[in-house]
Amino acid sequence: MSADYDVIIVGAGVVGATLAAALADSNLNVALVEARAPEPFEDSAPLDLRVFAISRASERILRALGVWDRIAEARVSAYRGMRVWDASGAGEIAFDAVEVGEPDLGHIVENRLLQSALLGRFADHRHITTLWPCACTGLTANPDAMSLKLDDGRELRARLVVAADGAGSRLRQWAGIEAPAHAYGQRGVVSHLTTERPHGAVARQVFLKEGVLALLPLADGRSSLIWSTGDRHADELLAMDEGDFCHAVSHAIDYAVGAVTAADRRAAFPLLRMHAECYVRPRFALIGDAAHAVHPLAGQGVNLGMLDAAALAEVLKDTAAGGRDIGSLGVLRRYERWRRGENATMVWSLDGFQKLFGATGPVRAIGGWGMSLVDRCAPVKNAFIRRALGIEGDLPALAK
């Protein structure tokens, strides 16, 4: 069976677009399939409600792909410090970029801006075909190619199909890959907030009785809220009028940036932990949320996915340059060995933090005590910062 493409990537979100951009300088013929046409980014548009805390490793990937300047010229917000505390008073820790000789700890970037910059990297590229809006309706494995059916009646064939279609990946299910998931019974309530005092380029996070609240500094001077809380409380927050909502947030963060004086529209998304039992099958691979989902308390989800994309691109380009089959299981397992262990460490570490600070009494007190202890131990704290920056571990070349 002949193949129409070398690689078909399903999902044109940030992670799928990163993989396509990373393959643009190869001779591989790539198709990028997306059910909904991506929304274009306009500099004059209101800030996207969905934002990411981009790590240094992800920034390096974006620089290597030639898209960082476009992002930085539009609007990003670097944050140079981070303050984390337990509302019960059990502990506090503060991070500063100066402590590890870095200019910042990361950047807050809007989803639509990031996606648009990546898609623009290969617009009209002769080796990359974009197909949207079209949904996938079936996946069939064959010895020498994978067949993908689309809702418009077309059937595409590729030497490799990559699923970047999110935590509820249909392709993962069709490929027969189990992905045990644990629902936290929480949702992340998001909004953009105006506060009395400036954010000062500092990200803030507080562990509350009912969850975790984070404030991320935005380029327009506001702060992006992510409040991870129980389903019932999330419903209450969404139903509040603006004044009551602002008061609730102000009280929860103990007026760390003064009172919250205004709030943008609100939305919420469910929180879960998920890790696929394997990342690959012959001629099939998972990346990003299709392979793993983590609690947002450290903002690592998209960064892990971008590292997946960079690692898989490196494996595929090395394999193609050597004249070998990019869809063979042996080749794809190199990618799986590279990324699955790294991701598992983050999945379970964040799950442990969530459980620790979601506990009460002595267990939670231990977590607060440990946080304060780390704050006083510079080598340990610096190790935490470097890991959060993504500048340690077995990194793909694009992230170095």
Side-chain angles (χ1 to χ4, degrees):
M1 179 185 291
S2 63
D4 300 312
Y5 300 97
D6 295 308
V7 183
I8 296 176
I9 304 164
V10 179
V14 169
V15 174
T18 297
L19 177 59
L23 294 175
D25 62 353
S26 71
N27 290 320
L28 295 171
N29 290 313
V30 178
L32 182 61
V33 180
E34 174 56 53
R36 292 177 294 180
E39 295 182 43
F41 175 82
E42 297 180 1
D43 292 354
S44 60
L47 266 69
D48 192 348
L49 199 55
R50 188 180 185 190
V51 300
F52 300 121
I54 295 298
S55 69
R56 180 71 75 252
S58 293
E59 179 191 338
R60 288 174 178 172
I61 291 170
L62 295 167
R63 286 186 182 278
L65 295 178
V67 301
W68 181 254
D69 287 346
R70 165 71 181 107
I71 293 169
E73 287 168 2
R75 53 193 190 206
V76 299
S77 179
Y79 60 99
R80 294 182 291 276
M82 185 170 185
R83 179 189 170 213
V84 183
W85 72 99
D86 188 341
S88 69
E92 180 174 344
I93 188 169
F95 300 101
D96 194 308
V98 174
E99 295 175 324
V100 286
E102 292 285 336
D104 53 66
L105 297 177
H107 294 80
I108 308 303
V109 184
E110 298 160 71
N111 171 65
R112 193 177 302 125
L113 169 57
L114 187 52
Q115 181 190 34
S116 178
L118 286 163
L119 294 178
R121 166 70 173 81
F122 50 81
D124 302 321
H125 196 286
R126 65 188 182 92
H127 285 302
I128 298 183
T129 302
T130 55
L131 302 171
W132 53 62
C134 53
C136 302
T137 59
L139 183 72
T140 304
N142 299 285
D144 55 356
M146 190 74 82
S147 296
L148 187 70
K149 293 183 179 179
L150 304 181
D151 61 356
D152 60 8
R154 282 182 292 177
E155 184 170 344
L156 308 179
R157 296 178 299 277
R159 295 160 65 196
L160 171 66
V161 169
V162 180
D165 55 340
S169 173
R170 296 179 70 189
L171 271 75
R172 185 186 65 227
Q173 297 168 23
W174 293 336
I177 296 178
E178 296 292 329
H182 168 72
Y184 286 111
Q186 293 183 329
R187 278 179 289 164
V189 176
V190 295
S191 184
H192 294 333
L193 310 175
T194 302
T195 56
E196 278 187 326
R197 298 201 299 270
H199 53 58
V202 174
R204 294 170 172 86
Q205 182 168 276
V206 56
F207 291 96
L208 304 164
K209 181 179 180 181
E210 63 272 23
V212 185
L213 187 156
L215 290 183
L216 306 177
L218 294 174
D220 65 358
R222 292 183 296 168
S223 293
S224 177
L225 167 76
I226 306 175
W227 192 340
S228 304
T229 189
D231 288 331
R232 180 178 297 180
H233 188 228
D235 286 337
E236 293 172 356
L237 292 172
L238 293 172
M240 289 177 181
D241 63 30
E242 184 179 4
D244 288 343
F245 180 72
C246 290
H247 176 75
V249 177
S250 301
H251 179 72
I253 62 171
D254 196 22
Y255 296 85
V257 281
V260 176
T261 58
D264 203 343
R265 66 195 187 282
R266 280 162 261 168
F269 57 93
L271 306 183
L272 75 153
R273 179 199 71 223
M274 182 274 291
H275 201 202
E277 291 187 340
C278 65
Y279 283 12
V280 300
R281 290 276 193 260
R283 308 204 174 281
F284 184 80
L286 302 172
I287 60 174
D289 286 355
H292 45 77
V294 298
H295 196 283
L297 65 86
Q300 288 299 310
V302 74
N303 295 305
L304 297 177
M306 291 178 70
L307 286 169
D308 291 347
L312 180 57
E314 187 171 327
V315 169
L316 297 182
K317 289 193 285 188
D318 287 350
T319 301
R324 292 170 291 154
D325 183 2
I326 61 170
S328 72
L329 188 59
V331 166
L332 297 176
R333 278 184 171 156
R334 177 187 162 198
Y335 156 70
E336 180 181 55
R337 287 192 300 270
W338 191 350
R339 292 299 305 155
R340 194 172 186 279
E342 292 272 341
N343 290 333
T345 299
M346 188 62 72
V347 168
W348 292 106
S349 295
L350 295 179
D351 184 68
F353 274 113
Q354 193 276 334
K355 285 183 169 61
L356 181 62
F357 286 97
T360 57
V363 174
R364 181 160 183 158
I366 290 171
W369 174 81
M371 190 159 51
S372 295
L373 183 64
V374 169
D375 192 47
R376 294 192 296 269
C377 183
V380 176
K381 188 161 74 166
N382 290 351
F384 268 90
I385 297 175
R386 296 182 67 82
R387 174 59 69 171
L389 285 167
I391 55 179
E392 290 192 344
D394 189 5
L395 299 173
L398 286 176
K400 293 180 179 177

PDB file of all heavy atoms in Angstrom, residues 259-292:
ATOM      1  N   ALA A 259      -6.892  44.720  46.413  1.00  0.00           N
ATOM      2  CA  ALA A 259      -8.203  44.177  46.068  1.00  0.00           C
ATOM      3  C   ALA A 259      -8.296  43.931  44.566  1.00  0.00           C
ATOM      4  O   ALA A 259      -7.684  44.636  43.756  1.00  0.00           O
ATOM      5  CB  ALA A 259      -9.296  45.138  46.503  1.00  0.00           C
ATOM      6  N   VAL A 260      -9.043  42.904  44.194  1.00  0.00           N
ATOM      7  CA  VAL A 260      -9.381  42.676  42.789  1.00  0.00           C
ATOM      8  C   VAL A 260     -10.537  43.615  42.463  1.00  0.00           C
ATOM      9  O   VAL A 260     -11.596  43.575  43.099  1.00  0.00           O
ATOM     10  CB  VAL A 260      -9.787  41.211  42.543  1.00  0.00           C
ATOM     11  CG1 VAL A 260     -10.232  41.022  41.089  1.00  0.00           C
ATOM     12  CG2 VAL A 260      -8.631  40.271  42.870  1.00  0.00           C
ATOM     13  N   THR A 261     -10.350  44.480  41.472  1.00  0.00           N
ATOM     14  CA  THR A 261     -11.345  45.518  41.183  1.00  0.00           C
ATOM     15  C   THR A 261     -12.210  45.214  39.971  1.00  0.00           C
ATOM     16  O   THR A 261     -13.269  45.836  39.797  1.00  0.00           O
ATOM     17  CB  THR A 261     -10.653  46.874  40.984  1.00  0.00           C
ATOM     18  OG1 THR A 261      -9.691  46.754  39.915  1.00  0.00           O
ATOM     19  CG2 THR A 261      -9.927  47.306  42.258  1.00  0.00           C
ATOM     20  N   ALA A 262     -11.778  44.283  39.121  1.00  0.00           N
ATOM     21  CA  ALA A 262     -12.576  43.931  37.944  1.00  0.00           C
ATOM     22  C   ALA A 262     -12.164  42.546  37.470  1.00  0.00           C
ATOM     23  O   ALA A 262     -11.017  42.129  37.654  1.00  0.00           O
ATOM     24  CB  ALA A 262     -12.395  44.953  36.822  1.00  0.00           C
ATOM     25  N   ALA A 263     -13.110  41.839  36.849  1.00  0.00           N
ATOM     26  CA  ALA A 263     -12.841  40.502  36.326  1.00  0.00           C
ATOM     27  C   ALA A 263     -13.410  40.374  34.922  1.00  0.00           C
ATOM     28  O   ALA A 263     -14.529  40.824  34.645  1.00  0.00           O
ATOM     29  CB  ALA A 263     -13.442  39.438  37.235  1.00  0.00           C
ATOM     30  N   ASP A 264     -12.648  39.770  34.048  1.00  0.00           N
ATOM     31  CA  ASP A 264     -13.082  39.483  32.685  1.00  0.00           C
ATOM     32  C   ASP A 264     -14.081  38.321  32.730  1.00  0.00           C
ATOM     33  O   ASP A 264     -14.435  37.827  33.806  1.00  0.00           O
ATOM     34  CB  ASP A 264     -11.847  39.123  31.845  1.00  0.00           C
ATOM     35  CG  ASP A 264     -12.056  39.332  30.351  1.00  0.00           C
ATOM     36  OD1 ASP A 264     -13.222  39.435  29.925  1.00  0.00           O
ATOM     37  OD2 ASP A 264     -11.056  39.367  29.608  1.00  0.00           O
ATOM     38  N   ARG A 265     -14.497  37.853  31.559  1.00  0.00           N
ATOM     39  CA  ARG A 265     -15.382  36.703  31.500  1.00  0.00           C
ATOM     40  C   ARG A 265     -14.730  35.516  32.204  1.00  0.00           C
ATOM     41  O   ARG A 265     -13.505  35.454  32.346  1.00  0.00           O
ATOM     42  CB  ARG A 265     -15.709  36.357  30.050  1.00  0.00           C
ATOM     43  CG  ARG A 265     -14.510  35.884  29.242  1.00  0.00           C
ATOM     44  CD  ARG A 265     -14.812  35.900  27.743  1.00  0.00           C
ATOM     45  NE  ARG A 265     -13.738  35.306  26.957  1.00  0.00           N
ATOM     46  CZ  ARG A 265     -12.607  35.901  26.651  1.00  0.00           C
ATOM     47  NH1 ARG A 265     -12.364  37.123  27.097  1.00  0.00           N
ATOM     48  NH2 ARG A 265     -11.685  35.295  25.920  1.00  0.00           N
ATOM     49  N   ARG A 266     -15.550  34.554  32.615  1.00  0.00           N
ATOM     50  CA  ARG A 266     -15.059  33.382  33.335  1.00  0.00           C
ATOM     51  C   ARG A 266     -15.362  32.107  32.555  1.00  0.00           C
ATOM     52  O   ARG A 266     -16.334  32.040  31.822  1.00  0.00           O
ATOM     53  CB  ARG A 266     -15.729  33.280  34.707  1.00  0.00           C
ATOM     54  CG  ARG A 266     -15.152  34.184  35.765  1.00  0.00           C
ATOM     55  CD  ARG A 266     -16.118  34.345  36.926  1.00  0.00           C
ATOM     56  NE  ARG A 266     -16.878  35.591  36.842  1.00  0.00           N
ATOM     57  CZ  ARG A 266     -17.938  35.872  37.582  1.00  0.00           C
ATOM     58  NH1 ARG A 266     -18.383  34.987  38.467  1.00  0.00           N
ATOM     59  NH2 ARG A 266     -18.559  37.030  37.443  1.00  0.00           N
ATOM     60  N   ALA A 267     -14.522  31.100  32.750  1.00  0.00           N
ATOM     61  CA  ALA A 267     -14.748  29.772  32.171  1.00  0.00           C
ATOM     62  C   ALA A 267     -14.150  28.750  33.131  1.00  0.00           C
ATOM     63  O   ALA A 267     -13.455  29.109  34.091  1.00  0.00           O
ATOM     64  CB  ALA A 267     -14.117  29.659  30.785  1.00  0.00           C
ATOM     65  N   ALA A 268     -14.419  27.480  32.881  1.00  0.00           N
ATOM     66  CA  ALA A 268     -13.880  26.420  33.747  1.00  0.00           C
ATOM     67  C   ALA A 268     -13.627  25.163  32.926  1.00  0.00           C
ATOM     68  O   ALA A 268     -14.307  24.911  31.929  1.00  0.00           O
ATOM     69  CB  ALA A 268     -14.853  26.122  34.889  1.00  0.00           C
ATOM     70  N   PHE A 269     -12.640  24.395  33.354  1.00  0.00           N
ATOM     71  CA  PHE A 269     -12.318  23.141  32.670  1.00  0.00           C
ATOM     72  C   PHE A 269     -12.042  22.064  33.726  1.00  0.00           C
ATOM     73  O   PHE A 269     -11.519  22.355  34.797  1.00  0.00           O
ATOM     74  CB  PHE A 269     -11.110  23.309  31.741  1.00  0.00           C
ATOM     75  CG  PHE A 269      -9.863  23.812  32.425  1.00  0.00           C
ATOM     76  CD1 PHE A 269      -8.925  22.923  32.921  1.00  0.00           C
ATOM     77  CD2 PHE A 269      -9.628  25.174  32.570  1.00  0.00           C
ATOM     78  CE1 PHE A 269      -7.769  23.376  33.549  1.00  0.00           C
ATOM     79  CE2 PHE A 269      -8.477  25.639  33.203  1.00  0.00           C
ATOM     80  CZ  PHE A 269      -7.554  24.730  33.686  1.00  0.00           C
ATOM     81  N   PRO A 270     -12.393  20.796  33.444  1.00  0.00           N
ATOM     82  CA  PRO A 270     -12.197  19.722  34.426  1.00  0.00           C
ATOM     83  C   PRO A 270     -10.727  19.356  34.572  1.00  0.00           C
ATOM     84  O   PRO A 270      -9.945  19.468  33.616  1.00  0.00           O
ATOM     85  CB  PRO A 270     -13.003  18.560  33.837  1.00  0.00           C
ATOM     86  CG  PRO A 270     -13.025  18.826  32.365  1.00  0.00           C
ATOM     87  CD  PRO A 270     -13.051  20.321  32.220  1.00  0.00           C
ATOM     88  N   LEU A 271     -10.351  18.913  35.768  1.00  0.00           N
ATOM     89  CA  LEU A 271      -8.967  18.545  36.051  1.00  0.00           C
ATOM     90  C   LEU A 271      -8.867  17.030  36.233  1.00  0.00           C
ATOM     91  O   LEU A 271      -9.701  16.417  36.901  1.00  0.00           O
ATOM     92  CB  LEU A 271      -8.480  19.239  37.329  1.00  0.00           C
ATOM     93  CG  LEU A 271      -8.635  20.760  37.381  1.00  0.00           C
ATOM     94  CD1 LEU A 271      -8.041  21.303  38.673  1.00  0.00           C
ATOM     95  CD2 LEU A 271      -7.997  21.417  36.170  1.00  0.00           C
ATOM     96  N   LEU A 272      -7.834  16.462  35.645  1.00  0.00           N
ATOM     97  CA  LEU A 272      -7.613  15.032  35.794  1.00  0.00           C
ATOM     98  C   LEU A 272      -6.133  14.705  35.675  1.00  0.00           C
ATOM     99  O   LEU A 272      -5.347  15.499  35.165  1.00  0.00           O
ATOM    100  CB  LEU A 272      -8.405  14.247  34.748  1.00  0.00           C
ATOM    101  CG  LEU A 272      -7.882  14.239  33.295  1.00  0.00           C
ATOM    102  CD1 LEU A 272      -8.333  12.978  32.585  1.00  0.00           C
ATOM    103  CD2 LEU A 272      -8.359  15.462  32.533  1.00  0.00           C
ATOM    104  N   ARG A 273      -5.811  13.523  36.174  1.00  0.00           N
ATOM    105  CA  ARG A 273      -4.479  12.943  35.978  1.00  0.00           C
ATOM    106  C   ARG A 273      -4.641  11.760  35.027  1.00  0.00           C
ATOM    107  O   ARG A 273      -5.527  10.931  35.196  1.00  0.00           O
ATOM    108  CB  ARG A 273      -3.925  12.452  37.309  1.00  0.00           C
ATOM    109  CG  ARG A 273      -2.529  11.809  37.205  1.00  0.00           C
ATOM    110  CD  ARG A 273      -2.249  10.939  38.428  1.00  0.00           C
ATOM    111  NE  ARG A 273      -3.052   9.723  38.422  1.00  0.00           N
ATOM    112  CZ  ARG A 273      -3.679   9.219  39.477  1.00  0.00           C
ATOM    113  NH1 ARG A 273      -3.654   9.843  40.639  1.00  0.00           N
ATOM    114  NH2 ARG A 273      -4.363   8.094  39.381  1.00  0.00           N
ATOM    115  N   MET A 274      -3.797  11.706  34.007  1.00  0.00           N
ATOM    116  CA  MET A 274      -3.869  10.612  33.042  1.00  0.00           C
ATOM    117  C   MET A 274      -2.486  10.340  32.475  1.00  0.00           C
ATOM    118  O   MET A 274      -1.726  11.278  32.217  1.00  0.00           O
ATOM    119  CB  MET A 274      -4.850  10.960  31.918  1.00  0.00           C
ATOM    120  CG  MET A 274      -5.046   9.870  30.869  1.00  0.00           C
ATOM    121  SD  MET A 274      -3.796   9.928  29.541  1.00  0.00           S
ATOM    122  CE  MET A 274      -4.247  11.451  28.711  1.00  0.00           C
ATOM    123  N   HIS A 275      -2.167   9.066  32.318  1.00  0.00           N
ATOM    124  CA  HIS A 275      -0.902   8.710  31.669  1.00  0.00           C
ATOM    125  C   HIS A 275      -1.114   7.430  30.879  1.00  0.00           C
ATOM    126  O   HIS A 275      -1.502   6.401  31.432  1.00  0.00           O
ATOM    127  CB  HIS A 275       0.216   8.518  32.700  1.00  0.00           C
ATOM    128  CG  HIS A 275       1.583   8.644  32.102  1.00  0.00           C
ATOM    129  ND1 HIS A 275       2.708   8.101  32.665  1.00  0.00           N
ATOM    130  CD2 HIS A 275       2.027   9.266  30.969  1.00  0.00           C
ATOM    131  CE1 HIS A 275       3.763   8.381  31.930  1.00  0.00           C
ATOM    132  NE2 HIS A 275       3.371   9.087  30.894  1.00  0.00           N
ATOM    133  N   ALA A 276      -0.888   7.511  29.575  1.00  0.00           N
ATOM    134  CA  ALA A 276      -1.085   6.359  28.704  1.00  0.00           C
ATOM    135  C   ALA A 276      -0.118   5.228  29.075  1.00  0.00           C
ATOM    136  O   ALA A 276       1.034   5.478  29.441  1.00  0.00           O
ATOM    137  CB  ALA A 276      -0.887   6.759  27.244  1.00  0.00           C
ATOM    138  N   GLU A 277      -0.606   3.992  28.973  1.00  0.00           N
ATOM    139  CA  GLU A 277       0.229   2.843  29.333  1.00  0.00           C
ATOM    140  C   GLU A 277       1.398   2.671  28.378  1.00  0.00           C
ATOM    141  O   GLU A 277       2.422   2.093  28.737  1.00  0.00           O
ATOM    142  CB  GLU A 277      -0.630   1.575  29.370  1.00  0.00           C
ATOM    143  CG  GLU A 277      -1.632   1.576  30.522  1.00  0.00           C
ATOM    144  CD  GLU A 277      -2.370   0.267  30.660  1.00  0.00           C
ATOM    145  OE1 GLU A 277      -2.399  -0.511  29.666  1.00  0.00           O
ATOM    146  OE2 GLU A 277      -2.907   0.009  31.756  1.00  0.00           O
ATOM    147  N   CYS A 278       1.256   3.134  27.157  1.00  0.00           N
ATOM    148  CA  CYS A 278       2.389   3.195  26.226  1.00  0.00           C
ATOM    149  C   CYS A 278       2.140   4.373  25.299  1.00  0.00           C
ATOM    150  O   CYS A 278       1.027   4.886  25.207  1.00  0.00           O
ATOM    151  CB  CYS A 278       2.557   1.891  25.446  1.00  0.00           C
ATOM    152  SG  CYS A 278       1.195   1.505  24.331  1.00  0.00           S
ATOM    153  N   TYR A 279       3.199   4.832  24.650  1.00  0.00           N
ATOM    154  CA  TYR A 279       3.077   5.991  23.768  1.00  0.00           C
ATOM    155  C   TYR A 279       3.042   5.610  22.289  1.00  0.00           C
ATOM    156  O   TYR A 279       2.740   6.466  21.450  1.00  0.00           O
ATOM    157  CB  TYR A 279       4.260   6.938  23.971  1.00  0.00           C
ATOM    158  CG  TYR A 279       4.219   7.799  25.215  1.00  0.00           C
ATOM    159  CD1 TYR A 279       3.311   7.571  26.244  1.00  0.00           C
ATOM    160  CD2 TYR A 279       5.117   8.862  25.375  1.00  0.00           C
ATOM    161  CE1 TYR A 279       3.296   8.354  27.382  1.00  0.00           C
ATOM    162  CE2 TYR A 279       5.106   9.657  26.505  1.00  0.00           C
ATOM    163  CZ  TYR A 279       4.192   9.393  27.512  1.00  0.00           C
ATOM    164  OH  TYR A 279       4.177  10.182  28.646  1.00  0.00           O
ATOM    165  N   VAL A 280       3.384   4.359  21.980  1.00  0.00           N
ATOM    166  CA  VAL A 280       3.543   3.999  20.568  1.00  0.00           C
ATOM    167  C   VAL A 280       2.962   2.628  20.256  1.00  0.00           C
ATOM    168  O   VAL A 280       2.862   1.749  21.119  1.00  0.00           O
ATOM    169  CB  VAL A 280       5.035   4.033  20.138  1.00  0.00           C
ATOM    170  CG1 VAL A 280       5.624   5.425  20.328  1.00  0.00           C
ATOM    171  CG2 VAL A 280       5.857   3.000  20.900  1.00  0.00           C
ATOM    172  N   ARG A 281       2.579   2.481  19.025  1.00  0.00           N
ATOM    173  CA  ARG A 281       2.244   1.236  18.358  1.00  0.00           C
ATOM    174  C   ARG A 281       2.951   1.293  17.010  1.00  0.00           C
ATOM    175  O   ARG A 281       3.440   2.354  16.611  1.00  0.00           O
ATOM    176  CB  ARG A 281       0.730   1.112  18.144  1.00  0.00           C
ATOM    177  CG  ARG A 281      -0.095   0.893  19.412  1.00  0.00           C
ATOM    178  CD  ARG A 281      -0.107  -0.586  19.758  1.00  0.00           C
ATOM    179  NE  ARG A 281      -1.131  -0.870  20.775  1.00  0.00           N
ATOM    180  CZ  ARG A 281      -0.893  -1.021  22.058  1.00  0.00           C
ATOM    181  NH1 ARG A 281       0.356  -0.869  22.501  1.00  0.00           N
ATOM    182  NH2 ARG A 281      -1.850  -1.318  22.905  1.00  0.00           N
ATOM    183  N   PRO A 282       3.045   0.202  16.281  1.00  0.00           N
ATOM    184  CA  PRO A 282       3.616   0.309  14.938  1.00  0.00           C
ATOM    185  C   PRO A 282       2.879   1.370  14.123  1.00  0.00           C
ATOM    186  O   PRO A 282       1.655   1.379  14.056  1.00  0.00           O
ATOM    187  CB  PRO A 282       3.403  -1.097  14.352  1.00  0.00           C
ATOM    188  CG  PRO A 282       3.394  -2.000  15.549  1.00  0.00           C
ATOM    189  CD  PRO A 282       2.716  -1.194  16.625  1.00  0.00           C
ATOM    190  N   ARG A 283       3.610   2.343  13.611  1.00  0.00           N
ATOM    191  CA  ARG A 283       3.101   3.426  12.766  1.00  0.00           C
ATOM    192  C   ARG A 283       2.147   4.375  13.499  1.00  0.00           C
ATOM    193  O   ARG A 283       1.337   5.061  12.888  1.00  0.00           O
ATOM    194  CB  ARG A 283       2.417   2.864  11.501  1.00  0.00           C
ATOM    195  CG  ARG A 283       3.302   1.894  10.767  1.00  0.00           C
ATOM    196  CD  ARG A 283       2.994   1.741   9.315  1.00  0.00           C
ATOM    197  NE  ARG A 283       4.019   0.884   8.693  1.00  0.00           N
ATOM    198  CZ  ARG A 283       5.234   1.297   8.338  1.00  0.00           C
ATOM    199  NH1 ARG A 283       5.562   2.564   8.502  1.00  0.00           N
ATOM    200  NH2 ARG A 283       6.116   0.457   7.815  1.00  0.00           N
ATOM    201  N   PHE A 284       2.283   4.458  14.806  1.00  0.00           N
ATOM    202  CA  PHE A 284       1.390   5.320  15.587  1.00  0.00           C
ATOM    203  C   PHE A 284       2.128   5.817  16.824  1.00  0.00           C
ATOM    204  O   PHE A 284       2.861   5.080  17.472  1.00  0.00           O
ATOM    205  CB  PHE A 284       0.151   4.528  16.014  1.00  0.00           C
ATOM    206  CG  PHE A 284      -0.868   5.348  16.749  1.00  0.00           C
ATOM    207  CD1 PHE A 284      -1.749   6.171  16.064  1.00  0.00           C
ATOM    208  CD2 PHE A 284      -0.950   5.312  18.129  1.00  0.00           C
ATOM    209  CE1 PHE A 284      -2.693   6.934  16.736  1.00  0.00           C
ATOM    210  CE2 PHE A 284      -1.884   6.066  18.815  1.00  0.00           C
ATOM    211  CZ  PHE A 284      -2.761   6.876  18.115  1.00  0.00           C
ATOM    212  N   ALA A 285       1.919   7.104  17.163  1.00  0.00           N
ATOM    213  CA  ALA A 285       2.554   7.684  18.355  1.00  0.00           C
ATOM    214  C   ALA A 285       1.635   8.726  18.992  1.00  0.00           C
ATOM    215  O   ALA A 285       0.831   9.374  18.311  1.00  0.00           O
ATOM    216  CB  ALA A 285       3.894   8.325  17.992  1.00  0.00           C
ATOM    217  N   LEU A 286       1.765   8.886  20.307  1.00  0.00           N
ATOM    218  CA  LEU A 286       1.033   9.882  21.076  1.00  0.00           C
ATOM    219  C   LEU A 286       1.985  10.984  21.517  1.00  0.00           C
ATOM    220  O   LEU A 286       3.122  10.706  21.907  1.00  0.00           O
ATOM    221  CB  LEU A 286       0.427   9.259  22.336  1.00  0.00           C
ATOM    222  CG  LEU A 286      -0.526   8.079  22.192  1.00  0.00           C
ATOM    223  CD1 LEU A 286      -0.831   7.501  23.571  1.00  0.00           C
ATOM    224  CD2 LEU A 286      -1.812   8.505  21.502  1.00  0.00           C
ATOM    225  N   ILE A 287       1.491  12.228  21.506  1.00  0.00           N
ATOM    226  CA  ILE A 287       2.252  13.337  22.076  1.00  0.00           C
ATOM    227  C   ILE A 287       1.297  14.246  22.846  1.00  0.00           C
ATOM    228  O   ILE A 287       0.087  14.257  22.612  1.00  0.00           O
ATOM    229  CB  ILE A 287       3.011  14.168  21.013  1.00  0.00           C
ATOM    230  CG1 ILE A 287       2.042  14.775  19.980  1.00  0.00           C
ATOM    231  CG2 ILE A 287       4.085  13.332  20.329  1.00  0.00           C
ATOM    232  CD1 ILE A 287       2.723  15.729  18.997  1.00  0.00           C
ATOM    233  N   GLY A 288       1.856  15.006  23.777  1.00  0.00           N
ATOM    234  CA  GLY A 288       1.075  15.993  24.511  1.00  0.00           C
ATOM    235  C   GLY A 288      -0.018  15.377  25.361  1.00  0.00           C
ATOM    236  O   GLY A 288       0.141  14.283  25.918  1.00  0.00           O
ATOM    237  N   ASP A 289      -1.151  16.083  25.454  1.00  0.00           N
ATOM    238  CA  ASP A 289      -2.242  15.637  26.321  1.00  0.00           C
ATOM    239  C   ASP A 289      -2.838  14.311  25.883  1.00  0.00           C
ATOM    240  O   ASP A 289      -3.523  13.653  26.676  1.00  0.00           O
ATOM    241  CB  ASP A 289      -3.345  16.695  26.367  1.00  0.00           C
ATOM    242  CG  ASP A 289      -2.967  17.909  27.204  1.00  0.00           C
ATOM    243  OD1 ASP A 289      -1.889  17.888  27.825  1.00  0.00           O
ATOM    244  OD2 ASP A 289      -3.751  18.877  27.238  1.00  0.00           O
ATOM    245  N   ALA A 290      -2.624  13.896  24.650  1.00  0.00           N
ATOM    246  CA  ALA A 290      -3.092  12.575  24.232  1.00  0.00           C
ATOM    247  C   ALA A 290      -2.323  11.481  24.960  1.00  0.00           C
ATOM    248  O   ALA A 290      -2.817  10.361  25.109  1.00  0.00           O
ATOM    249  CB  ALA A 290      -2.934  12.406  22.721  1.00  0.00           C
ATOM    250  N   ALA A 291      -1.122  11.809  25.448  1.00  0.00           N
ATOM    251  CA  ALA A 291      -0.290  10.842  26.167  1.00  0.00           C
ATOM    252  C   ALA A 291      -0.341  11.025  27.671  1.00  0.00           C
ATOM    253  O   ALA A 291      -0.189  10.055  28.424  1.00  0.00           O
ATOM    254  CB  ALA A 291       1.165  10.951  25.692  1.00  0.00           C
ATOM    255  N   HIS A 292      -0.553  12.263  28.137  1.00  0.00           N
ATOM    256  CA  HIS A 292      -0.497  12.532  29.575  1.00  0.00           C
ATOM    257  C   HIS A 292      -1.255  13.800  29.909  1.00  0.00           C
ATOM    258  O   HIS A 292      -1.290  14.750  29.127  1.00  0.00           O
ATOM    259  CB  HIS A 292       0.962  12.683  30.035  1.00  0.00           C
ATOM    260  CG  HIS A 292       1.785  13.538  29.124  1.00  0.00           C
ATOM    261  ND1 HIS A 292       1.716  14.908  29.114  1.00  0.00           N
ATOM    262  CD2 HIS A 292       2.682  13.210  28.159  1.00  0.00           C
ATOM    263  CE1 HIS A 292       2.549  15.390  28.194  1.00  0.00           C
ATOM    264  NE2 HIS A 292       3.138  14.379  27.593  1.00  0.00           N
TER     265      HIS A 292
END
